[in-house]
């Protein structure tokens, strides 16, 4: 276990619990280091929240950390770029990684432990588990990125087994991932409360994402059209479901730097597409995936009776 801040040798010799009391942030790279933290600090009656991330942290992650801090005694942030959830090897290769920067961002945030394992710690042997999420994995991201949610489920269940959190925090930008993880806990019986937190946006409305830093200046500027279009769409009472989807795709595609992969309008909890307004779930979500060059951006808005939620 290595402390993130100065005074390494001093802190190293202190009990981990004392370090925690002093609000030092600790970094665990292995299962042994993590277990030694829990062994020495003891869980007793303290609640533990986990914020799973793939690093390249931004303010969106920090808002999950602060939500976690406010609801738990101990906050653990995991940083692990999970190879099993990338169905495109190129995407895995270019995924931004900067652990030192992440640690700097987290120190002083109230995070107690950064768990930054290597692949062998998460997968001591190949993970061949196949989960069945039913219709949930057959739409949108699940349909376009085969194996993606199975990989997410593998890593999240491993993190839950290793960290044993009481609660875990995920962003609503990845609304389908959130639904999958809720289903995962139901399927596996892992006793973790899943908390969904609102999407944080840049000033121009673009949803915060680690992938934003891979955009060129021009792509970044133009990407703001995605959220603008989604907001405007929620006011278009005069259009039917299919017409609205077409309007959204056409509006975004009219920008030559952006290319829509899908637009879906679905019930906000089951994420199953609706075809008519009448009889559809009261709360709906419009989800989009858009490519800006090689970079894939997703976003969504929740609405009910043509009022943005
Ligand atoms: O949303 C993410 O960053 C990842 O999918 C997660 C949940 C950390 C699993 O790798």
């Amino acid at each position: 276990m290595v402390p993130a801040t100065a005074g390494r040798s001093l802190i190293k010799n202190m009990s981990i619990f004392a370090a925690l009391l002093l609000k030092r942030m600790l970094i665990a790279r292995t299962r042994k280091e993590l277990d030694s933290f829990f062994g020495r600090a003891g869980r007793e009656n303290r609640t533990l929240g986990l914020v799973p991330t793939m690093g390249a942290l931004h303010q969106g992650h920090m808002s999950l950390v602060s939500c976690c801090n406010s609801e738990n005694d101990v906050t653990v942030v995991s940083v692990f770029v999970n190879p099993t959830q990338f169905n495109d090897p190129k995407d895995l290769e270019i995924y931004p990684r900067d652990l030192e920067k992440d640690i700097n961002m987290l120190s002083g945030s109230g995070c107690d432990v950064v768990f930054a394992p290597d692949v062998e710690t998460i997968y001591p042997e190949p993970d061949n588990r196949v989960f069945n999420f039913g219709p949930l994995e057959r739409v949108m991201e699940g349909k376009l990125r085969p194996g993606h949610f199975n990989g997410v489920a593998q890593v999240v269940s491993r993190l839950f087994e290793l960290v044993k959190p009481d609660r875990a925090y995920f962003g609503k930008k990845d609304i389908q991932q959130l639904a999958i993880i809720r289903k995962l806990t139901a399927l596996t019986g892992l006793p973790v409360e899943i908390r969904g937190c609102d999407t944080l946006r840049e000033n121009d409305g673009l949803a915060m994402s680690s992938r934003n830093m891979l955009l060129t200046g021009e792509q970044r500027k133009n990407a703001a059209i995605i959220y603008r279009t989604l907001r405007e769409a929620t006011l278009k009472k005069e259009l039917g479901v299919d017409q609205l989807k077409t309007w959204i795709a056409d509006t975004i595609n009219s920008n030559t730097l952006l290319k829509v992969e899908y637009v879906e309008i679905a019930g906000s909890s089951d994420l199953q597409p609706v075809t008519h307004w009448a009889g559809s779930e009261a709360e709906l979500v419009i989800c989009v995936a858009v490519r800006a060059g090689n970079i894939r951006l997703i976003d969504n808005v929740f609405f009910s009776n043509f009022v943005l939620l």
Side-chain angles (χ1 to χ4, degrees):
M1 184 89 68
V2 181
T5 49
R8 282 168 188 247
S9 52
L10 174 70
I11 299 290
K12 215 171 183 172
N13 295 326
M14 287 167 87
S15 91
I16 309 283
F17 186 43
L20 183 61
L21 282 177
L22 288 173
K23 276 292 171 205
R24 300 277 180 173
M25 188 175 74
L26 301 169
I27 301 170
R29 303 300 306 255
T30 63
R31 179 177 196 156
K32 203 166 147 213
E33 288 171 347
L34 193 67
D35 287 348
S36 102
F37 167 76
F38 294 132
R40 293 208 233 168
R43 288 286 293 269
E44 289 155 9
N45 292 327
R46 298 180 314 148
T47 56
L48 190 148
L50 171 68
V51 181
T53 81
M54 295 206 296
L57 302 182
H58 49 69
Q59 288 312 315
H61 295 112
M62 301 316 284
S63 78
L64 299 182
V65 172
S66 97
C67 195
C68 182
N69 283 336
S70 69
E71 296 180 351
N72 301 280
D73 301 317
V74 178
T75 292
V76 177
V77 177
S78 63
V79 176
F80 178 67
V81 180
N82 171 38
T84 71
Q85 71 186 74
F86 285 82
N87 54 317
D88 174 357
K90 180 85 194 136
D91 197 20
L92 174 62
E93 192 188 312
I94 64 170
Y95 200 85
R97 296 165 172 88
D98 191 342
L99 183 58
E100 210 178 309
K101 194 163 162 222
D102 292 338
I103 288 169
N104 283 334
M105 265 185 98
L106 288 168
S107 67
S109 69
C111 165
D112 299 295
V113 181
V114 180
F115 180 42
D118 56 17
V119 174
E120 287 68 36
T121 298
I122 295 291
Y123 302 117
E125 48 206 49
D127 191 338
N128 297 319
R129 288 173 299 163
V130 178
F131 297 89
N132 181 356
F133 296 111
L136 197 50
E137 65 186 341
R138 292 199 276 275
V139 293
M140 301 189 286
E141 296 298 292
K143 189 166 155 191
L144 277 176
R145 302 179 68 191
H148 167 65
F149 285 129
N150 201 63
V152 169
Q154 287 173 341
V155 73
V156 170
S157 57
R158 279 293 290 152
L159 288 168
F160 286 0
E161 282 160 21
L162 292 168
V163 179
K164 301 180 183 63
D166 299 292
R167 302 189 183 92
Y169 294 78
F170 299 88
K172 287 187 186 167
K173 180 175 79 69
D174 297 293
I175 185 66
Q176 198 175 359
Q177 168 172 282
L178 181 60
I180 288 277
I181 291 165
R182 287 192 201 285
K183 183 105 195 219
L184 171 72
T185 53
L187 286 176
T188 57
L190 285 163
V192 183
E193 185 187 333
I194 305 303
R195 311 278 285 136
C197 305
D198 288 340
T199 302
L200 241 70
R201 298 185 178 278
E202 304 288 354
N203 287 338
D204 62 3
L206 179 65
M208 288 189 185
S209 163
S210 305
R211 291 171 202 269
N212 293 354
M213 68 177 76
L214 300 172
L215 298 170
T216 64
E218 271 302 282
Q219 288 169 338
R220 168 64 195 83
K221 235 176 16 209
N222 284 273
I225 193 181
I226 300 170
Y227 181 57
R228 245 190 351 253
T229 306
L230 292 183
R231 274 184 71 103
E232 211 179 315
T234 62
L235 304 172
K236 293 211 160 284
K237 292 185 185 177
E238 69 280 11
L239 301 184
V241 173
D242 283 343
Q243 288 172 312
L244 186 57
K245 291 198 306 197
T246 305
W247 179 84
I248 294 167
D250 289 350
T251 307
I252 297 175
N253 284 336
S254 69
N255 184 301
T256 53
L257 296 183
L258 304 174
K259 178 109 191 60
V260 169
E261 272 194 0
Y262 66 77
V263 179
E264 201 52 89
I265 301 180
S268 67
S269 48
D270 67 1
L271 296 183
Q272 294 310 296
V274 298
T275 48
H276 298 94
W277 300 127
S280 57
E281 230 186 275
E283 190 176 307
L284 299 173
V285 60
I286 308 178
C287 300
V288 288
V290 178
R291 273 195 185 271
N294 285 333
I295 311 307
R296 201 164 175 279
L297 303 170
I298 61 171
D299 201 354
N300 59 61
V301 289
F302 292 82
F303 71 119
S304 179
N305 291 321
F306 296 95
V307 175
L308 187 67
L309 297 175

